[in-house]
Amino acid sequence: MPDPESEPDPTVPAPPPLGCPDDPTTPAGGSHRPVAFGEQSVPGYEILGEIGRGGMGVVYRARQAGLNRVVALKMVLAGDHAGPGEVARFLAEAEVVAAVRHPHVVQVFEYGEAGGRPFFAMEYLDGGTLGGAIRGAGRLPPRVAAGIVEKLAHGVQAAHDLGIVHRDLKPGNVLLDAAGEPKVVDFGLAKRGGRDDLTRTGAVMGTPSYMAPEQAAGRAKFAGPAADVYALGVILYECLTGRVPFRDEDAVRLLVRVAEDEPPPVREHAPEVPGDLEAVCLRCLRKQPHDRYPTAGALAADLRRYLDGEPVLAPSSGLLSRVAGLLGRSLKDTEFAAYSAAMFWFAAVVLGFDLVIQAAVLGLVAPWVISPCQGAKVVGFAAVLGWFRGWRFRPATAAERQLWSVGGGYIACCLAAAVSLRLGVLGFEPLAEVSVYPPIAMLTALMFFALGSILWGGCYALGVAFLAAGFVMAAAPRYAPLVCGVTWAAALVVVGRRLRRLARQS
């Protein structure tokens, strides 16, 4: 059942008029002539008034004559003018809601057709929305907020047990009964496992402030239960602070922030919130689905631990936890998942040539091979990259342009450093090449620090590793090529394993 108060999301611009093609909740192929109240008639029900309407349906307050009870009656917004896609989605919602039987999910009494118009009747909840309760109170007490979200998580888990993913959880889709008990409503965007999904691949479906990062990136078709866990985390965050984690007047910028930015700590806005409850909330808001609670039931169990005064399983939100979160942060690395094998080849190239250079420094092979090996490393990198890209070196995406810019600048700086040192203090003695390694290691560390902010948080740790390697090279210059080769190979293998794991997950 949609939000009976028809609440707009206060964090984004007002949605386009119902029926507009830009309305993200409007299926293609249907006409949206709103049906007037007086035109509706369902045998056995007396329509008392309109509660609200959304992108696809309109909800009426009605009296069921046979049982003399007040119900919420939902019908297709376009009435007789509804297209096949609208009718299919409406009936799918009715089937989904009817399948879930749980105290914290709205109950469906009946669904069918009247005069060729599909409808379904649900329990009528007159306690308003959770969104209204939050606005009225400013923020909810921590224990009250935890108790509400615990109940919602149990209801969502009941849906997940049936293979149903809600995909549009928000305070406006949580209704309260007369006793204040919360119930999940409006399964209009739900996806049911084993059935054809009516969502188009690449469509952004849902409410931006409550979307999981994978939904904000346009992968709503593949959003699973972890997306609902994320939304429950946003609801908990809003209950505790009175605001959502991300705000922006521009909807596109908001989606980018949801997909890429880290949420502000809960206690930045509400210092009275206990650390354990903040940790539970922030675990739900992790960017990667596998870093969140594995199930909504697991979230409910951790909230129960908090309410019972027991230690929660969510990691602390202290300094160490934040550092771990920073290192695990995933940014543009998902776009390079297909490059995992290339990383392993890069590792082999750099380690192989640095071993030859190390042999030259130790006098095992002729010293003149050092400079050709350095050039061969660059050629080898280019050959591997060209092979895996079909010999197309021009960046094709924004993420590739960022990576090409950082990588190209790094190579240019390394060449400039090598040439300037040779022209200055080192001269052109072949064995003087080893003195170039420490400054090159520092430049490499800088490159990985830059990649940590655009590619993957783990690159920060790799940057620290190259800083340490630079000091080792300066202390033992005769073994600088070996240290460099091993450090580079290890770093590339780490990145390659990361990309291979992302490829398997996708």
Side-chain angles (χ1 to χ4, degrees):
M1 185 169 74
D3 176 5
E5 297 175 9
S6 299
E7 301 175 327
D9 181 1
T11 65
V12 295
L18 295 175
C20 171
D22 293 332
D23 180 0
T25 63
T26 298
S31 171
H32 281 266
R33 184 184 73 86
V35 180
F37 165 63
E39 298 180 34
Q40 302 291 3
S41 177
V42 178
Y45 293 90
E46 176 191 358
I47 297 180
L48 304 176
E50 182 176 317
I51 297 175
R53 57 180 65 200
M56 183 178 62
V58 57
V59 182
Y60 297 103
R61 180 171 173 266
R63 184 179 304 279
Q64 190 174 6
L67 298 175
N68 192 30
R69 65 180 173 186
V70 176
V71 300
L73 194 66
K74 183 167 184 176
M75 306 187 75
V76 174
L77 182 66
D80 294 334
H81 300 269
E86 293 171 283
V87 173
R89 186 180 291 276
F90 185 89
L91 292 175
E93 179 187 359
E95 184 179 354
V96 163
V97 181
V100 184
R101 296 297 183 92
H102 192 274
H104 297 293
V105 176
V106 67
Q107 182 181 355
V108 171
F109 298 136
E110 178 185 8
Y111 68 97
E113 289 188 5
R117 301 172 184 170
F119 76 91
F120 58 94
M122 301 168 286
E123 59 180 318
Y124 175 71
L125 304 171
D126 57 0
T129 68
L130 177 59
I134 295 172
R135 287 196 302 275
R139 64 181 66 160
L140 302 183
R143 291 186 63 82
V144 173
I148 288 174
V149 177
E150 180 202 8
K151 294 171 182 177
L152 294 177
H154 281 303
V156 170
Q157 184 60 55
H160 290 175
D161 289 341
L162 297 174
I164 298 167
V165 182
H166 191 285
R167 298 197 294 187
D168 195 22
L169 291 169
K170 56 184 177 181
N173 282 340
V174 176
L175 297 186
L176 307 175
D177 64 14
E181 291 296 309
K183 302 203 177 196
V184 179
V185 300
D186 197 347
F187 284 76
L189 297 183
K191 178 180 70 172
R192 187 166 190 175
R195 304 292 182 86
D196 290 338
D197 186 9
L198 300 177
T199 303
R200 297 183 300 276
T201 301
V204 178
M205 307 284 285
T207 306
S209 294
Y210 303 90
M211 287 181 184
E214 57 268 27
Q215 288 176 282
R219 301 193 298 273
K221 188 178 182 72
F222 307 103
D228 285 348
V229 172
Y230 183 95
L232 288 169
V234 179
I235 293 173
L236 179 58
Y237 192 104
E238 188 171 0
C239 287
L240 294 170
T241 67
R243 53 168 291 163
V244 291
F246 302 108
R247 295 179 175 180
D248 203 297
E249 293 182 356
D250 183 82
V252 175
R253 286 200 304 265
L254 177 57
L255 291 173
V256 172
R257 293 193 63 195
V258 170
E260 298 185 357
D261 291 357
E262 293 298 324
V266 173
R267 291 193 286 182
E268 182 176 303
H269 304 293
E272 72 279 5
V273 173
D276 278 359
L277 188 55
E278 179 186 50
V280 171
C281 182
L282 294 181
R283 182 177 179 184
C284 295
L285 300 180
R286 297 283 181 86
K287 295 300 179 187
Q288 293 301 310
H290 57 78
D291 289 333
R292 302 169 202 154
Y293 284 98
T295 64
L299 166 60
D302 224 11
L303 287 169
R304 176 44 51 188
R305 292 185 187 94
Y306 161 74
L307 291 169
D308 291 342
E310 299 177 2
V312 299
L313 299 183
S316 167
S317 57
L319 178 60
L320 291 178
S321 178
R322 293 184 186 182
V323 170
L326 179 66
L327 294 178
R329 186 181 180 194
S330 183
L331 297 164
K332 303 291 186 181
D333 53 345
T334 54
E335 300 186 35
F336 296 94
Y339 283 65
S340 58
M343 294 298 110
F344 300 130
W345 280 102
F346 287 152
V349 168
V350 70
L351 181 59
F353 283 112
D354 274 330
L355 287 177
V356 174
I357 294 171
Q358 180 64 63
V361 171
L362 297 177
L364 302 178
V365 297
W368 62 264
V369 304
I370 294 178
S371 293
C373 282
Q374 297 288 26
K377 279 197 288 188
V378 178
V379 173
F381 269 62
V384 171
L385 186 63
W387 175 264
F388 279 92
R389 287 179 53 83
W391 305 106
R392 296 188 301 273
F393 291 97
R394 189 173 181 177
T397 66
E400 285 187 348
R401 283 193 293 273
Q402 285 183 301
L403 188 58
W404 265 230
S405 177
V406 172
Y410 165 73
I411 293 173
C413 288
C414 287
L415 291 175
V419 171
S420 63
L421 287 172
R422 279 180 170 275
L423 292 176
V425 298
L426 299 181
F428 289 90
E429 287 295 329
L431 293 179
E433 185 77 29
V434 296
S435 299
V436 179
Y437 275 89
I440 295 298
M442 303 304 173
L443 287 175
T444 307
L446 180 61
M447 180 191 69
F448 274 102
F449 288 145
L451 293 178
S453 65
I454 64 175
L455 189 69
W456 170 44
C459 292
Y460 289 121
L462 298 179
V464 172
F466 272 98
L467 283 179
F471 285 104
V472 173
M473 294 176 197
R478 280 177 56 83
Y479 296 97
L482 176 63
V483 174
C484 178
V486 170
T487 307
W488 255 114
L492 290 168
V493 168
V494 168
V495 174
R497 287 172 60 87
R498 167 75 178 182
L499 297 179
R500 185 171 62 183
R501 184 165 62 253
L502 292 175
R504 289 174 176 173
Q505 292 171 356
S506 63

